[in-house]
Amino acid sequence: MKTILTGVKPTGTVHFGNYVGAIRPAIQLGHDINAKGGRHIMFVADYHAINAIKDAPLLKQLTKEIASTYLACGLDPKHSLFYKQSDVPELFELTTILMAYTPKGLMNKSHAYKAQVDKNMAKGEPNDAGINMGLYTYPVLMAADILAYDTDIVPVGKDQIQHVEIAADIAGSINAHYKKEVLKIPEYVVQVNSQVLPGTDGQKMSKSYNNVIPLFADDNVLKKAVMGIKTDCQGLNDKKNPEDILLYHIIKGVAKDDVVQTVKDGLEQGGMGYGDIKKMLLNALHEEIDEKREKYNYYMTHFDEVEDMLQDGAKRARDIAAPVLNRVKDVIFNR
Ligand code: ADP
Ligand code: TRP
């Protein structure tokens, strides 16, 4: 039985880029794994988030949003383990143990830390300005997240590959030291088929670029975002190459095949206006999201029910993590 684990940080209001690139594939993967009899684990990395977010009401709000989003989009908490990292104390015991086997030099090379150092240097500030130990040791907690459940596979975006490699390195050096398989060595798989959705200005859709189409906004906000998508000034009847048209790339990411084909034909032949395409896009977004948005709004206003699910998930997660932790302690303390 394979165990597949994914963590998600509650760091910003969710947009359609997150949905097509991360949320939808993660939930699909969960269904596939469960159907094959494997174990799917999905958690909210709220301890990782506090490295950056110290505003407690904001962190609570973002945690609520991300948990409600995954449930609304179809994550089934009966079949997938779904919990908040902060509700599984075994992770923090394991983190302390892993620290003792993690060379400091390995942390110096970690992307999350190095990126912040690079930013500081570019601004002429001291290297470690604004860097806390949580950020510096980010990969060790992430290793505990992974190793605590004997995880086989971690699906990741490219930016997270290094972190899984570090988890494998730490587990490997513990196993080598004690000459037995104390911890299972995890592997990453890169989600190759996940697409990058452009934002309203043509750059990658990202909360940092102020170009997002929010996933669960009110109708008028959604409409405003869609109407604001950048268009060029080619004439209505000009024959266009769809690959050059931003609207086409966005609609390709979210709409059904027949709608995409209609837009493609309309652009190639000329005569289909950008306003019409925006309307089709808006309809496609509504079709994809309206039912989910209702569920999302329900979960946001009945969060006690979500909290119960998360607590139940944490209990089941602890039942798996506790024996793993004990196995490690038996070896390192020769119990
Ligand atoms: P943002 O770029 O808005 O800060 P994050 O970095 O928090 O988003 O990304 C969360 C997840 O969503 C990651 O798995 C990331 O790969 C995915 N993601 C973010 N933006 C996009 C996008 N425009 N297209 C596809 N996937 C995306
Ligand atoms: N670092 C991941 C991110 O920024 C989130 C995360 C925390 C994670 N722990 C994890 C992902 C364990 C996979 C496995 O997206």
Side-chain angles (χ1 to χ4, degrees), residues 5-9 43 45 48 138 142 145-146 154 160 163:
L5 170 138
T6 315
V8 55
K9 262 192 302 181
F43 69 94
H48 274 120
Y138 186 109
M142 184 154 158
D145 288 332
I146 296 168
V154 187
Q160 297 297 315
H163 290 150

Side-chain angles (χ1 to χ4, degrees), residues 1 62 64 109 113 133 147 164 248 261 277 282 292 315:
M1 184 181 79
L62 295 175
K64 265 178 80 170
K109 287 189 257 173
Y113 165 70
M133 287 303 286
L147 301 174
V164 184
Y248 177 70
Q261 191 61 45
I277 301 178
L282 192 59
K292 297 181 177 74
K315 225 181 273 160

Side-chain angles (χ1 to χ4, degrees), residues 66-82:
I66 199 78
S68 300
T69 297
Y70 272 85
L71 290 170
C73 291
L75 185 85
D76 176 358
K78 286 202 189 68
H79 291 106
S80 296
L81 266 181
F82 186 48

Side-chain angles (χ1 to χ4, degrees), residues 2-3 44 89 170 188 203 220 253 262 274 291 327:
K2 294 268 185 216
T3 294
V44 181
I170 299 172
Y188 63 81
Q203 299 185 79
N220 53 344
T262 306
Y274 293 143
E291 225 175 273
R327 192 177 74 212

Side-chain angles (χ1 to χ4, degrees), residues 246-268:
L246 172 58
L247 263 172
Y248 177 70
H249 286 281
I250 299 181
I251 212 159
K252 216 166 60 170
V254 292
K256 300 234 154 63
D257 290 350
D258 55 332
V259 178
V260 177
Q261 191 61 45
T262 306
V263 172
K264 188 166 185 276
D265 294 344
L267 287 167
E268 279 170 351

